[in-house]
PDB file of all heavy atoms in Angstrom:
ATOM      1  N   VAL A 130      14.578   5.095  11.156  1.00 84.00           N
ATOM      2  CA  VAL A 130      13.977   6.008  10.178  1.00 84.00           C
ATOM      3  C   VAL A 130      12.764   5.363   9.523  1.00 84.00           C
ATOM      4  O   VAL A 130      11.681   5.949   9.453  1.00 84.00           O
ATOM      5  CB  VAL A 130      15.011   6.393   9.093  1.00 84.00           C
ATOM      6  CG1 VAL A 130      14.364   7.268   8.028  1.00 84.00           C
ATOM      7  CG2 VAL A 130      16.193   7.104   9.720  1.00 84.00           C
ATOM      8  N   GLY A 131      12.952   4.126   9.043  1.00 86.00           N
ATOM      9  CA  GLY A 131      11.861   3.434   8.376  1.00 86.00           C
ATOM     10  C   GLY A 131      10.713   3.092   9.307  1.00 86.00           C
ATOM     11  O   GLY A 131       9.542   3.267   8.961  1.00 86.00           O
ATOM     12  N   ILE A 132      11.041   2.617  10.505  1.00 89.00           N
ATOM     13  CA  ILE A 132       9.994   2.225  11.453  1.00 89.00           C
ATOM     14  C   ILE A 132       9.163   3.427  11.878  1.00 89.00           C
ATOM     15  O   ILE A 132       7.930   3.383  11.882  1.00 89.00           O
ATOM     16  CB  ILE A 132      10.613   1.530  12.682  1.00 89.00           C
ATOM     17  CG1 ILE A 132      11.265   0.209  12.269  1.00 89.00           C
ATOM     18  CG2 ILE A 132       9.556   1.289  13.761  1.00 89.00           C
ATOM     19  CD1 ILE A 132      12.096  -0.435  13.358  1.00 89.00           C
ATOM     20  N   SER A 133       9.834   4.519  12.234  1.00 91.00           N
ATOM     21  CA  SER A 133       9.111   5.713  12.693  1.00 91.00           C
ATOM     22  C   SER A 133       8.294   6.330  11.556  1.00 91.00           C
ATOM     23  O   SER A 133       7.178   6.811  11.757  1.00 91.00           O
ATOM     24  CB  SER A 133      10.079   6.742  13.265  1.00 91.00           C
ATOM     25  OG  SER A 133      11.036   7.142  12.295  1.00 91.00           O
ATOM     26  N   TYR A 134       8.842   6.305  10.334  1.00 92.00           N
ATOM     27  CA  TYR A 134       8.108   6.816   9.174  1.00 92.00           C
ATOM     28  C   TYR A 134       6.838   5.997   8.947  1.00 92.00           C
ATOM     29  O   TYR A 134       5.758   6.551   8.706  1.00 92.00           O
ATOM     30  CB  TYR A 134       9.006   6.767   7.946  1.00 92.00           C
ATOM     31  CG  TYR A 134       8.354   7.221   6.663  1.00 92.00           C
ATOM     32  CD1 TYR A 134       8.082   8.569   6.438  1.00 92.00           C
ATOM     33  CD2 TYR A 134       8.011   6.311   5.667  1.00 92.00           C
ATOM     34  CE1 TYR A 134       7.485   8.995   5.266  1.00 92.00           C
ATOM     35  CE2 TYR A 134       7.422   6.722   4.491  1.00 92.00           C
ATOM     36  CZ  TYR A 134       7.160   8.060   4.289  1.00 92.00           C
ATOM     37  OH  TYR A 134       6.565   8.487   3.117  1.00 92.00           O
ATOM     38  N   SER A 135       6.956   4.686   9.051  1.00 93.00           N
ATOM     39  CA  SER A 135       5.802   3.802   8.860  1.00 93.00           C
ATOM     40  C   SER A 135       4.756   4.023   9.945  1.00 93.00           C
ATOM     41  O   SER A 135       3.547   4.066   9.665  1.00 93.00           O
ATOM     42  CB  SER A 135       6.252   2.342   8.858  1.00 93.00           C
ATOM     43  OG  SER A 135       7.112   2.084   7.774  1.00 93.00           O
ATOM     44  N   ILE A 136       5.202   4.178  11.180  1.00 94.00           N
ATOM     45  CA  ILE A 136       4.271   4.439  12.282  1.00 94.00           C
ATOM     46  C   ILE A 136       3.518   5.742  12.044  1.00 94.00           C
ATOM     47  O   ILE A 136       2.304   5.827  12.249  1.00 94.00           O
ATOM     48  CB  ILE A 136       5.023   4.477  13.627  1.00 94.00           C
ATOM     49  CG1 ILE A 136       5.508   3.069  13.996  1.00 94.00           C
ATOM     50  CG2 ILE A 136       4.137   5.043  14.742  1.00 94.00           C
ATOM     51  CD1 ILE A 136       6.406   3.026  15.221  1.00 94.00           C
ATOM     52  N   GLY A 137       4.238   6.755  11.586  1.00 95.00           N
ATOM     53  CA  GLY A 137       3.602   8.034  11.286  1.00 95.00           C
ATOM     54  C   GLY A 137       2.554   7.915  10.201  1.00 95.00           C
ATOM     55  O   GLY A 137       1.450   8.487  10.308  1.00 95.00           O
ATOM     56  N   LEU A 138       2.857   7.157   9.151  1.00 96.00           N
ATOM     57  CA  LEU A 138       1.902   6.980   8.052  1.00 96.00           C
ATOM     58  C   LEU A 138       0.660   6.224   8.512  1.00 96.00           C
ATOM     59  O   LEU A 138      -0.473   6.599   8.174  1.00 96.00           O
ATOM     60  CB  LEU A 138       2.561   6.238   6.891  1.00 96.00           C
ATOM     61  CG  LEU A 138       3.558   7.028   6.048  1.00 96.00           C
ATOM     62  CD1 LEU A 138       4.144   6.136   4.962  1.00 96.00           C
ATOM     63  CD2 LEU A 138       2.888   8.246   5.403  1.00 96.00           C
ATOM     64  N   TYR A 139       0.850   5.169   9.273  1.00 96.00           N
ATOM     65  CA  TYR A 139      -0.302   4.395   9.734  1.00 96.00           C
ATOM     66  C   TYR A 139      -1.151   5.190  10.727  1.00 96.00           C
ATOM     67  O   TYR A 139      -2.388   5.053  10.738  1.00 96.00           O
ATOM     68  CB  TYR A 139       0.143   3.063  10.337  1.00 96.00           C
ATOM     69  CG  TYR A 139       0.303   1.996   9.288  1.00 96.00           C
ATOM     70  CD1 TYR A 139       1.562   1.618   8.833  1.00 96.00           C
ATOM     71  CD2 TYR A 139      -0.807   1.376   8.725  1.00 96.00           C
ATOM     72  CE1 TYR A 139       1.715   0.647   7.840  1.00 96.00           C
ATOM     73  CE2 TYR A 139      -0.665   0.407   7.742  1.00 96.00           C
ATOM     74  CZ  TYR A 139       0.592   0.051   7.306  1.00 96.00           C
ATOM     75  OH  TYR A 139       0.728  -0.900   6.312  1.00 96.00           O
ATOM     76  N   ALA A 140      -0.513   6.013  11.545  1.00 97.00           N
ATOM     77  CA  ALA A 140      -1.272   6.867  12.470  1.00 97.00           C
ATOM     78  C   ALA A 140      -2.111   7.862  11.685  1.00 97.00           C
ATOM     79  O   ALA A 140      -3.293   8.090  11.988  1.00 97.00           O
ATOM     80  CB  ALA A 140      -0.310   7.587  13.410  1.00 97.00           C
ATOM     81  N   SER A 141      -1.510   8.462  10.665  1.00 97.00           N
ATOM     82  CA  SER A 141      -2.223   9.421   9.825  1.00 97.00           C
ATOM     83  C   SER A 141      -3.372   8.757   9.088  1.00 97.00           C
ATOM     84  O   SER A 141      -4.490   9.293   9.032  1.00 97.00           O
ATOM     85  CB  SER A 141      -1.238  10.053   8.832  1.00 97.00           C
ATOM     86  OG  SER A 141      -1.879  11.029   8.030  1.00 97.00           O
ATOM     87  N   ALA A 142      -3.120   7.577   8.514  1.00 96.00           N
ATOM     88  CA  ALA A 142      -4.166   6.861   7.791  1.00 96.00           C
ATOM     89  C   ALA A 142      -5.311   6.465   8.723  1.00 96.00           C
ATOM     90  O   ALA A 142      -6.486   6.532   8.334  1.00 96.00           O
ATOM     91  CB  ALA A 142      -3.573   5.620   7.125  1.00 96.00           C
ATOM     92  N   ALA A 143      -4.977   6.067   9.938  1.00 97.00           N
ATOM     93  CA  ALA A 143      -6.007   5.661  10.903  1.00 97.00           C
ATOM     94  C   ALA A 143      -6.948   6.816  11.213  1.00 97.00           C
ATOM     95  O   ALA A 143      -8.171   6.627  11.316  1.00 97.00           O
ATOM     96  CB  ALA A 143      -5.347   5.156  12.187  1.00 97.00           C
ATOM     97  N   ILE A 144      -6.401   8.022  11.353  1.00 97.00           N
ATOM     98  CA  ILE A 144      -7.244   9.199  11.621  1.00 97.00           C
ATOM     99  C   ILE A 144      -8.202   9.443  10.470  1.00 97.00           C
ATOM    100  O   ILE A 144      -9.395   9.730  10.668  1.00 97.00           O
ATOM    101  CB  ILE A 144      -6.355  10.442  11.859  1.00 97.00           C
ATOM    102  CG1 ILE A 144      -5.524  10.275  13.128  1.00 97.00           C
ATOM    103  CG2 ILE A 144      -7.214  11.710  11.939  1.00 97.00           C
ATOM    104  CD1 ILE A 144      -6.333  10.123  14.398  1.00 97.00           C
ATOM    105  N   LEU A 145      -7.713   9.320   9.250  1.00 96.00           N
ATOM    106  CA  LEU A 145      -8.567   9.530   8.078  1.00 96.00           C
ATOM    107  C   LEU A 145      -9.691   8.493   8.017  1.00 96.00           C
ATOM    108  O   LEU A 145     -10.838   8.831   7.701  1.00 96.00           O
ATOM    109  CB  LEU A 145      -7.730   9.476   6.799  1.00 96.00           C
ATOM    110  CG  LEU A 145      -6.777  10.651   6.583  1.00 96.00           C
ATOM    111  CD1 LEU A 145      -5.855  10.371   5.403  1.00 96.00           C
ATOM    112  CD2 LEU A 145      -7.554  11.940   6.345  1.00 96.00           C
TER     113      LEU A 145
END
Side-chain angles (χ1 to χ4, degrees):
V130 176
I132 295 170
S133 59
Y134 178 73
S135 297
I136 290 173
L138 286 179
Y139 274 103
S141 182
I144 295 299
L145 290 171

